[in-house]
Amino acid sequence: MNGTVYKSTGSWYTVKTEGGTFYECRIKGKFRTQEIKSTNPIAVGDEVIFELESIGDETVGVISEIKERNNYIIRKSVKLSKQTHIIAANLDQVFLLVTLNNPTTFTSFIDRFLVTAEAYDIPVVLLFNKMDVYDKEEMVEVNYLVKLYTDIGYHCIEIAAKEGKNVNKVKELMLNKTSMFAGHSGVGKSTLVNALEPGLRLKTAEISEQHLQGQHTTTFAEMYDLSFGARIVDTPGIKGFGIVDMDDDEIGDYFPEFFKLKSECKFNNCLHLDEPKCAVKEALENDEIAWSRYRSYVQMVTGEEENPYRERS
Ligand SMILES: Nc1nc2c(ncn2[C@@H]2O[C@H](COP(=O)(O)OP(=O)(O)OP(=O)(O)O)[C@@H](O)[C@H]2O)c(=O)[nH]1
Ligand SMILES: [Mg+2]
Ligand SMILES: [Zn+2]
């Protein structure tokens, strides 16, 4: 039978058949994984082939094969940098939720996320959430970030999931697609899913007052069919975002505003670091490229761990 993975807990996989039936499945003893080494051989969104087996009066599925992925979002856990984890596969687009504070989303994190998505050609929409709580000064900062990322070419929407503000705009973009919500713990991913489909009642939780961070309420990625004709993957909050297996000379290509200038650099293999007559550095000096973006780029090329910062307006 063919099916799509809707949830994975590590040992069990919930798979939905084309006919709409859900089966709990596991993996055959020795499962041939794809070329990527990851802590999870199968991820939400994977298309799999499985057979049913009866154990007592229970029927379970055994997954024998995974079909080739169109794309996937993979991350390297920052501390165990050899371990990688596939968050979800076969996505049409990703919504990255960003909050200015409670919790703070730094531009270094946004940029790493965007690079990973660019590498697999997955469109990203930036959702600036909790717009109901920002004061005047914070609004200036949000507007600055919205302009920064809009100018690069990313679609940005200011929302308030809790109040339903601009949730319709998100809904429109989701029609007939498989999307994923990503972002730090506490940015409001599950709240947004609930706003889109109130019947789901996903668990959400207040930010910890002590740490001003989320409490990792969602623990496994899970896909949901929404009644307006869309599929969404709600994911657990991610902390750091290590990029996986990228050559230095490739990273600049995933910064769209750098890529546009690349042909104007003197050297065609220019890494935009210390090379003479570099069009990217010239644009940076002329304020046509944001310093925060350049700093993110340098951190990635030099293999530095994510060093959080945010460009201030
Ligand atoms: N003021 C305000 N609070 C919000 C908004 N959206 C979400 N929240 C609150 O933020 C807190 C965290 O929301 P969740 O939906 O649990 O966050 P999450 O991103 O799913 O977090 P994890 O599952 O831990 O990754 C909750 O207390 C929500 O009520 C919003 O637009 N405005
Ligand atoms: Mg959640
Ligand atoms: Zn250059």
Side-chain angles (χ1 to χ4, degrees):
M1 282 198 283
N2 292 302
T4 307
V5 177
Y6 270 58
K7 184 179 184 177
S8 115
T9 61
S11 42
W12 285 96
Y13 301 90
T14 308
V15 177
K16 186 184 177 189
T17 63
E18 282 152 352
T21 313
F22 285 93
Y23 289 100
E24 292 301 309
C25 298
R26 53 193 178 81
I27 307 180
K28 232 182 222 162
K30 260 223 157 105
F31 184 78
R32 209 177 53 83
T33 51
Q34 289 194 323
E35 65 287 352
I36 21 167
K37 273 210 167 77
S38 76
T39 51
N40 56 336
I42 296 180
V44 170
D46 269 333
E47 302 286 335
V48 296
I49 296 174
F50 67 103
E51 288 83 42
L52 291 181
E53 261 179 20
S54 289
I55 304 173
D57 49 8
E58 254 191 302
T59 305
V60 299
V62 180
I63 297 171
S64 54
E65 206 182 314
I66 163 171
K67 296 190 190 161
E68 203 180 323
R69 297 176 174 125
N70 295 332
N71 59 39
Y72 49 89
I73 292 276
I74 189 168
R75 78 184 184 101
K76 200 157 67 172
S77 105
V78 174
K79 287 202 184 101
L80 303 159
S81 54
K82 289 236 165 73
Q83 300 269 45
T84 63
H85 183 84
I86 302 166
I87 303 174
N90 300 321
L91 300 165
D92 293 312
Q93 67 191 337
V94 175
F95 293 91
L96 180 64
L97 278 80
V98 170
T99 48
L100 218 57
N101 44 40
N102 305 321
T104 305
T105 305
F106 294 101
T107 46
S108 49
F109 174 80
I110 299 175
D111 295 336
R112 276 170 192 257
F113 192 92
L114 292 175
V115 162
T116 300
E118 287 286 343
Y120 291 97
D121 260 330
I122 306 176
V124 181
V125 176
L126 295 176
L127 300 181
F128 290 84
N129 192 27
K130 308 200 185 182
M131 290 303 294
D132 54 313
V133 295
Y134 302 135
D135 63 20
K136 241 182 166 174
E137 217 173 285
E138 290 163 337
M139 283 300 298
V140 172
E141 212 170 324
V142 172
N143 290 335
Y144 172 82
L145 291 174
V146 167
K147 183 167 188 320
L148 196 173
Y149 288 101
T150 304
D151 285 350
I152 297 167
Y154 293 105
H155 191 166
C156 297
I157 308 176
E158 298 173 20
I159 66 166
K162 213 171 160 182
E163 303 185 328
K165 186 193 161 166
N166 283 343
V167 167
N168 269 336
K169 289 193 184 167
V170 179
K171 207 176 207 174
E172 257 168 53
L173 296 176
M174 291 174 70
L175 285 179
N176 303 317
K177 289 185 176 151
T178 301
S179 310
M180 176 179 118
F181 289 158
H184 291 316
S185 177
V187 292
K189 300 177 292 296
S190 303
T191 303
L192 181 55
V193 177
N194 286 339
L196 290 158
E197 190 84 64
L200 276 175
R201 294 178 194 231
L202 302 188
K203 213 168 133 196
T204 65
E206 303 253 313
I207 303 301
S208 129
E209 272 182 41
Q210 207 182 346
H211 305 289
L212 302 179
Q213 282 177 0
Q215 318 221 40
H216 295 280
T217 313
T218 305
T219 45
F220 295 106
E222 183 163 0
M223 182 146 71
Y224 301 95
D225 292 321
L226 304 179
S227 57
F228 56 89
R231 294 199 298 188
I232 187 66
V233 181
D234 187 19
T235 63
I238 35 180
K239 217 168 180 187
F241 201 93
I243 52 168
V244 175
D245 289 343
M246 252 175 232
D247 295 332
D248 287 353
D249 59 355
E250 188 187 1
I251 296 173
D253 295 352
Y254 304 134
F255 283 73
E257 74 275 41
F258 294 18
F259 184 67
K260 268 186 223 152
L261 293 171
K262 189 179 170 179
S263 62
E264 291 168 36
C265 294
K266 183 175 182 202
F267 299 105
N268 57 15
N269 59 351
C270 184
L271 282 179
H272 324 305
L273 296 172
D274 300 312
E275 296 92 340
K277 298 233 162 94
C278 165
V280 169
K281 292 211 78 173
E282 275 165 31
L284 183 68
E285 298 300 337
N286 296 333
D287 282 334
E288 289 153 9
I289 280 179
W291 277 98
S292 64
R293 292 279 290 169
Y294 187 70
R295 222 172 315 159
S296 292
Y297 170 75
V298 173
Q299 277 186 12
M300 285 181 231
V301 172
T302 57
E304 246 180 85
E305 294 278 281
E306 187 185 338
N307 189 3
Y309 56 81
R310 188 168 64 216
E311 183 90 303
R312 301 249 158 202
S313 44

